[in-house]
């Protein structure tokens, strides 16, 4: 993660991502991810209390935005390129894409 205004980068590696999906409206689906880190990963910054990642997708499963959050609100960190790639790979997996389609169909 990168703190806004800092040039110091800490790379987190996710061993798993626990997810909840909520259909916001007829266009957007909110996916909240609670990451578990690998043993060789950088740690979550100590000033974050309840770190999650909000991924906003359209009903077709296309990612529009990835937002690191603390206690459900935007925080002063941004994800690195490699962290985003891990999340993208997870969201684009067949199992997650199927769950997105199911959530969209319930709208």
């Amino acid at each position: 993660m990168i703190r806004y205004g800092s040039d110091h980068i800490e790379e987190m590696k996710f061993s798993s991502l626990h997810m909840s999906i909520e259909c916001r409206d007829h266009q957007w689906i909110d996916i909240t991810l609670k990451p578990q880190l690998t043993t060789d990963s950088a740690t979550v910054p100590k000033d974050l209390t309840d770190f999650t990642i909000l991924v906003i997708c359209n009903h077709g499963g296309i990612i529009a935005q990835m937002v690191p959050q603390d206690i459900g609100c935007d925080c002063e960190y941004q994800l690195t390129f490699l962290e985003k790639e891990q999340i993208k790979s997870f969201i684009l997996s067949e199992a997650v894409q199927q769950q997105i389609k199911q959530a969209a169909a319930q709208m």
Side-chain angles (χ1 to χ4, degrees):
M1 302 224 351
I2 308 167
R3 186 183 198 109
Y4 286 112
S6 174
D7 58 358
H8 181 72
I9 297 174
E10 293 279 336
E11 199 78 59
M12 290 188 296
K13 297 176 190 168
F14 309 127
S15 61
S16 64
L17 295 163
H18 302 281
M19 132 183 115
S20 65
I21 296 178
E22 183 179 332
C23 209
R24 184 188 317 175
D25 55 28
H26 291 287
Q27 183 176 5
W28 302 114
I29 293 180
D30 295 338
I31 302 171
T32 303
L33 301 175
K34 182 74 175 172
Q36 298 296 312
L37 305 179
T38 63
T39 55
D40 63 339
S41 172
T43 59
V44 173
K46 293 188 186 330
D47 58 337
L48 296 181
T49 304
D50 183 24
F51 174 62
T52 57
I53 302 162
L54 173 64
V55 180
I56 303 168
C57 295
N58 67 14
H59 282 221
I62 305 296
I63 299 169
Q65 194 170 11
M66 296 180 212
V67 182
Q69 295 189 321
D70 186 27
I71 315 174
C73 298
D74 295 355
C75 63
E76 56 189 61
Y77 290 90
Q78 59 187 339
L79 299 166
T80 67
F81 175 79
L82 292 176
E83 291 165 346
K84 288 179 183 179
E85 286 298 306
Q86 292 174 80
I87 295 164
K88 179 181 174 183
S89 177
F90 176 76
I91 296 295
L92 295 179
S93 71
E94 185 61 37
V96 174
Q97 288 292 303
Q98 187 63 30
Q99 291 182 45
I100 291 170
K101 289 175 185 163
Q102 288 174 351
Q106 294 177 358
M107 240 351 251

